[in-house]
Amino acid sequence: MATKAVPKASSPDEAKPKKSKTLIIVLALVILLAGGGAGAWYFMNQKETASASAPKKHPEEAKPPVFLPIEAFTVNLQAENGEQFLQTSLTLQVADQAQVELIKLYMPHVRSRMLLLLSGKKASEILSVEGKNKLSEEILAIFKQPFTPQGPTIKVSSVLFTSFVVQ
């Protein structure tokens, strides 16, 4: 007798492996994409942070500073406790070489104004740090006034004392 083979009904256990394999593949893809996105975000932020922390250069900042040393000055100070004198050397920081040439051109005027300014000081006025800073500002003011009528002003950005002796 021929018996028909009865097809076996699929059991719920057989369906689980197919669904679980699909679920594992989908989860693996999601994790892989999330990791790739996180990595891309991290590296993009690193570039932005590096570019933000890098100083932005302006054409003026790219130039090296130009310094002009001035010969030493020795002057008698205004009398307070007997005779005192000041011997100082300084260096001027200017914008460019053209300013250096301009200062050299007017050097007799520069030295004359500096001597008049320094000899009018008292030792007590210039011994402190505040006094030296004020003197530096006064020297800067010397260059803001033209040395000749209708003459150019000289642009000095700072005065640097290289020697300062009061005796």
Side-chain angles (χ1 to χ4, degrees):
M1 312 198 339
T3 59
K4 288 186 183 179
V6 177
K8 292 184 178 179
S10 59
S11 68
D13 292 337
E14 289 180 12
K16 282 186 182 177
K18 288 183 182 180
K19 285 185 181 179
S20 65
K21 284 183 184 179
T22 307
L23 184 62
I24 291 173
I25 291 173
V26 169
L27 284 175
L29 285 174
V30 168
I31 291 172
L32 183 65
L33 289 174
W41 175 81
Y42 175 76
F43 286 111
M44 295 298 274
N45 267 354
Q46 289 295 76
K47 288 181 183 178
E48 289 176 9
T49 304
S51 66
S53 66
K56 294 182 173 119
K57 293 184 180 179
H58 297 290
E60 294 176 12
E61 293 177 353
K63 295 178 187 176
V66 178
F67 296 104
L68 175 64
I70 304 292
E71 288 183 39
F73 291 93
T74 305
V75 296
N76 291 325
L77 296 173
Q78 293 295 312
E80 283 183 310
N81 302 326
E83 289 189 25
Q84 292 180 305
F85 71 92
L86 167 68
Q87 181 179 19
T88 186
S89 297
L90 52 101
T91 299
L92 304 174
Q93 182 176 355
V94 295
D96 54 23
Q97 194 62 34
Q99 295 296 313
V100 170
E101 297 305 320
L102 203 54
I103 292 171
K104 287 180 180 179
L105 179 66
Y106 291 106
M107 189 56 76
H109 289 286
V110 171
R111 289 194 61 82
S112 175
R113 287 185 185 180
M114 295 276 291
L115 286 170
L116 291 173
L117 173 68
L118 295 173
S119 64
K121 297 292 178 184
K122 295 179 182 179
S124 60
E125 294 174 340
I126 58 175
L127 284 176
S128 67
V129 174
E130 294 84 18
K132 289 177 181 75
N133 287 334
K134 184 179 177 196
L135 180 60
S136 175
E137 290 171 9
E138 291 172 349
I139 293 170
L140 283 173
I142 286 175
F143 292 99
K144 291 181 182 174
Q145 302 168 0
F147 290 106
T148 59
Q150 309 299 322
T153 57
I154 299 172
K155 294 175 180 83
V156 176
S157 56
S158 64
V159 175
L160 309 165
F161 292 107
T162 55
S163 170
F164 202 93
V165 178
V166 175
Q167 199 169 19

